[in-house]
């Protein structure tokens, strides 16, 4: 039964079996596609209401994950543009937008890696914090281009995601040093560049990310070390345009 | 046998059974006093040589602990001032200087607590890093004066001495919050004052202390939060006066 | 006689009986609308010349008030777009643009209040300088939403408009403290946010406002207190785009 | 009756008929001299107790005026050094120390004027805040040396002591401009030097002075304008050496 | 023979007989126009390949001069938009785009001079570094408007282009002082504005210019002296949009 | 004739045949010693007057060289302390103080080299400006201790003394790079330490040195590169204690 499948997706997001902004976003797109494929709605209005209910179900799973409303908005734009002609057209619009989103999302991290890697020079020592897909994509892409780089990774207490990053970087052969979070300023003169990910980005450019990020940014600023934030576009928080504060 | 007792002191310092700048310093003073009391030297020169050998033994135990040469210099000044008259006078001089040093050392932390507490106001929220006798003495003294204070303590990775500080502060009833090292900038607007200890203080005022201290100082400076370093005078590194770098 | 009515509007702006960027702008729109309604022009060219003469009359009343040329430009765009077809069409275009402008202007302050209020959190202490409609709209909107806020208002010498702001804020029940202009840095650690208005905004983002504003901004910057400038879009100074300096 | 005269001095200090750090200090010295001259004490101990009682009377008049305890400490040092030999010797010691203090105090402002004036160059534009004897002494001394200087004086709300300074400076012929307190940053690029007085100076160099001083210092610091604090030595707060906070 | 003429242009750019971003750009446009005029291509594809070969020839002359690819991109856009219809249409498109570019380029410096001059006030003392057409255009335009200005010019070691600037400025009668590069901070308080040119401008606003520019910018920033960079739009480096570093 | 010899010394200082703070100082000491040795004065007063005349002669040769009055003050202190007993005693006092000064001066640069070298670590890249005996002494001493160091030397326009420094450093085998003065910020991330000399040092710690020094200090400060000023004690300007500005 389809209902069950959609509920399962919602449950998996809520219980963090599905985690990471990209994976959550793609799961939501998949859920909407399922609705479009299996809906028994007779009228465009009915169909739209059904999508609305599922959207609300998905949004409730992780109220602070900004990639969720961004995905839904992206997919639903297909419906809006189709202007409620007939159910069949709407169905196709949702499926096509959802597929488009999923493809785009998968490609985004890879593209960020490629563009970001141009900023890494041969011989650079790069520091990263926590465990960000985008940040690691850049470092790995630069390394695959044959640049001799080394990395420093902060432990990232309390959850210690730095250890995951260390493992990922060492697996591809990048020389990596784990440091405690309080050692960043001690090593900063050795660091050429810092790359971190983002949980959410506000209209004024403010970045919301894992505890410790702002502290590293301050240290980098003082030492004039380049500091890059790498994030997919669905991390952007559109309601900050009209003044909303980001809830974390 | 006395020899054995002195060697035991040296061993205890080396193996860190005796630890903390104050305890090490007092143990060294005790060792020199033992020499003075039990020496069989016949001439002032012989007596001085004996003290010199024990001094070298003590200095070798912890080459980077600046309180060790400072203690020995303090005690040996008694010998210098006595100008090698006779063994008995030298003996008394060493014993009296050693006792003086031990008394002074014990009183120092308490006095620092008392003077420092004047800087803490009722209602202050104080952050401390790692586990410093002097810093805790100030916080506790202020609390005993009836000031309603709260403390934040950094975990102080990798050894996590912050947990010891939390325990000590809670034991006397001070409301205390443990935070990860990377959360200092996140909480800095709530903090009124920061108090830390020091391993060593150079002639130009530079402070050598536990990893993470300089990072907290930078954050405090940006946020204009008062930052105090509390240390006994034997933390001063006299050779920095003529340019030596502090080895850590 | 209509002529007389238009001259009266110009006189009232010049003598400051009509004052405040918004009120001046709406009066100018009203004057142009009057011309459109009552003009006896026979040809589009004649009609446009008549509007041009009144525009010049209005611009001369307050050469430094940027909202005046902005209003005229807004209304006259209706004429330009209509491409001089016939007098009747131009008439309607001017009337409709003028009405549109007046409606938009009235709504702007309210909307700024609503959007800005999202930036005010429960418990915030807000400082404002001088007497700005937009700044007060934000504070009042936040208060009406049930947020418990307090305000500090600078006296704003030499004209002491701060006293007007204090009266307005107290009237709606917001606890308000009047401080002398030189006390801002003394209280800055108690302040959570600062909101001011603007006389004019340049293309590079520079803000021209009442004496003392830049001094408060410096103090806020040092203390890392959020500083908001709230202004309607007709405060923008378009000629700064091509290098002109704002004359004040 | 002498008692009455001393009580009158105390009353005049309390009621601010005697005001200004220098005048208060000299009045206190005069009171102690009166005690010394007229005391009927038979023993050194009795004499010292009498001085102690008067000292306490004086200290109670203005608990935050640091020049008061400094004066008393200065005069009483004569008693301490005399080592309680006999009443007559003590009497002479107190009288001589009090006279010495009064002379020194009168000369201090003049000397500060002379030394400070060396820092003022021909053509300088000098800003001063509030109404400080020392600051004005420097400006006037420089002007008397024939240097062509101009001054800006802040109004210094709420008491507007800036107006007194303007009057004093204009009386000797120095071109002087009064500005509102919030205009300092507006004019800062025209200013070459800033000179202010001090109410009290702490062991760490911190200056306590009239509201607005710290704000001007921040503006001067940003604009790299030289900022001088001119104060007599009895403004120094000795208990800050052992941690006391200055109460204001 | 036309081939020869094109080769000569390429050679002149390579050997720096043609130098300066503007002159290089216009020469490249001229070369492409020559191709268009004289090509014997039969098909659009053939014609496009021929233009491509010449473009590569030109690009190879000065691989780091960003105005070169920008010119070629500008001209070739005419070909792209024409969508390969027939050789004659393409021919006309290239000629027209090349002419348009040459005209625009010639007018750009003049227009920059005019807009920039609005930022110069009567009595300003302006510093410039090296020898930039745009910077000098602004200074001269302001001077021609009757503003009384003076200039300081840095020597600009090692090539000493500052001497060329001094000559140009003195020729039109502007009082000009040559200073050594290390004297900028010494004179900075006398300087009102600084104007420099640019070799290249990146997507993030970063400016690449003659050695010493960043040092002057730092000094200007500290002293809060306005610092303007004047450059034609073909100095923009488009590949920096996707992360490329500017090679210099 | 002795007179002639003294006049020659004065002439050599004036014409810069004798140059460099140390050499000037020692020549002045030598001149005073000559007076003491050859004076035919009969009374202490006569002898002192003679020394005074020669001192004035010497001071007039280079009014801004602070080492000159410092030398004379040092030597004349011997006369003051001797309290005018008899000519013979004064004679001996002057000779002995002059010799002491000359010895001390010669040893000073060497000692500064030795102490300063402790601040240089193996592998350091050191930048120096202009041509300072003290700065070079430190670099050479560190190099002789076997530390592998490299140096950058600024050209130091307009006199180009940097070339002398380059020659001196290369002579002892230190790898040295000459850079133009405006390239300091470009290379600053490669530099570990900066060492310069001083012409004069004021009571507030202000350093007067060759044009360009303050600019390098600003760059070093921003980049957090250690900046050392090395100078003999007779560079201290004692009259700055009472407010005098250093004339340069």
């Amino acid at each position: 039964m389809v209902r069950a499948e959609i509920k399962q997706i919602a449950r998996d997001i809520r219980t963090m079996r599905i985690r990471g902004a990209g994976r959550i976003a793609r799961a939501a797109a998949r859920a909407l596609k399922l609705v479009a494929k299996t809906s028994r709605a007779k009228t465009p209005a009915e169909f739209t209401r059904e999508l609305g209910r599922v959207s609300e179900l998905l949004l409730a799973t992780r109220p602070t994950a900004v990639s969720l409303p961004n995905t839904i908005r992206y997919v639903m734009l297909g419906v809006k543009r189709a202007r409620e002609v007939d159910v069949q057209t709407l169905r196709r619009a949702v499926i096509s937008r959802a597929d488009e989103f999923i493809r785009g999302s998968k490609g985004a991290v890879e593209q960020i890696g490629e563009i970001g890697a141009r900023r890494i020079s041969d011989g650079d020592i790069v520091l990263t914090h926590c465990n960000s897909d985008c940040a690691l994509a850049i470092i790995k892409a630069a390394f695959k281009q044959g640049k001799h780089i080394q990395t420093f990774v902060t432990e990232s207490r309390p959850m210690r995601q730095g250890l995951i990053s260390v493992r990922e970087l060492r697996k591809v052969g990048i020389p990596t040093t784990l440091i405690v979070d309080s050692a960043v300023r001690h090593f900063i003169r050795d660091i050429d560049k810092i790359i971190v990910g983002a949980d959410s980005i506000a209209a004024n450019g403010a970045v919301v990310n894992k505890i410790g990020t702002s502290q590293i940014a301050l240290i980098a600023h003082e030492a004039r070390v380049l500091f890059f934030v790498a994030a997919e576009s669905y991390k952007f928080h559109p309601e900050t345009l009209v003044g909303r504060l980001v809830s974390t």
Side-chain angles (χ1 to χ4, degrees), chain A:
Chain A
M1 238 304 282
V2 171
R3 284 300 89 177
E5 210 172 320
I6 289 166
K7 277 185 182 160
Q8 184 60 42
I9 290 173
R11 202 174 308 121
D12 284 354
I13 297 174
R14 191 182 308 105
T15 58
M16 299 190 68
R17 282 192 51 164
I18 297 174
R19 34 168 282 174
R23 273 178 290 268
I24 288 172
R26 289 189 295 272
R30 237 168 28 238
L32 293 174
K33 195 174 148 185
L34 268 174
V35 175
K37 274 187 171 163
T38 62
S39 169
R40 293 173 187 174
K42 295 287 188 317
T43 66
E46 216 177 308
F47 181 76
T48 306
R49 270 201 303 281
E50 199 178 337
L51 283 167
R53 276 195 305 274
V54 171
S55 296
E56 270 162 44
L57 176 72
L58 293 166
L59 285 168
T61 57
R62 290 277 292 271
T64 64
V66 75
S67 68
L68 218 38
N70 281 338
T71 308
I72 292 165
R73 188 178 297 107
Y74 186 97
V75 173
M76 295 303 281
L77 198 61
V79 177
K80 275 206 193 113
R81 283 187 185 147
R83 294 178 183 219
E84 306 216 1
V85 276
D86 63 284
V87 171
Q88 205 49 31
T89 309
L90 292 183
R91 221 187 271 277
R92 275 199 303 270
V94 167
I95 292 168
S96 128
R97 293 287 290 179
D99 283 339
E100 196 179 300
F101 180 88
I102 290 167
R103 262 197 318 278
S105 162
K106 277 179 181 159
V109 172
E110 202 179 329
Q111 246 184 308
I112 287 171
E114 189 192 327
I115 290 175
R118 292 189 190 125
R119 291 270 146 197
I120 309 294
S121 303
D122 193 42
D124 272 355
I125 301 183
V126 179
L127 181 140
T128 189
H129 181 58
C130 201
N131 180 249
S132 149
D133 279 359
C134 289
L136 295 188
I138 291 171
I139 296 171
K140 289 179 191 168
F143 185 73
K144 270 176 205 156
Q145 291 165 7
K147 292 172 185 162
H148 298 85
I149 58 179
Q150 294 179 48
T151 56
F152 277 77
V153 179
T154 51
E155 185 186 17
S156 309
R157 289 280 294 160
M159 301 299 284
R160 311 185 78 198
Q161 293 97 324
L163 276 71
I164 309 177
S165 293
V166 167
R167 221 174 303 132
E168 286 191 50
L169 290 166
R170 287 195 178 146
K171 210 164 64 187
V172 296
I174 303 173
T176 299
T177 308
L178 181 74
I179 61 171
V180 291
D181 296 300
S182 69
V184 175
R185 200 175 180 221
H186 184 76
F187 288 111
I188 195 68
R189 283 191 65 113
D190 296 329
I191 308 293
D192 295 294
K193 276 145 202 172
I194 296 173
I195 308 176
V196 300
D199 288 345
S200 181
I201 292 180
N204 64 351
V207 169
V208 177
N209 195 37
K210 163 88 189 181
I211 189 78
T213 305
S214 87
Q215 187 153 316
I216 296 171
L218 175 65
I219 293 163
H221 177 73
E222 186 211 19
R224 304 187 64 226
V225 170
L226 292 170
F227 188 99
F228 299 97
V229 176
E232 308 93 316
S233 53
Y234 43 74
K235 299 281 180 68
F236 178 71
H237 204 306
E239 295 186 15
T240 55
L241 281 167
V242 284
R244 231 191 75 176
L245 293 164
V246 177
S247 45
T248 50

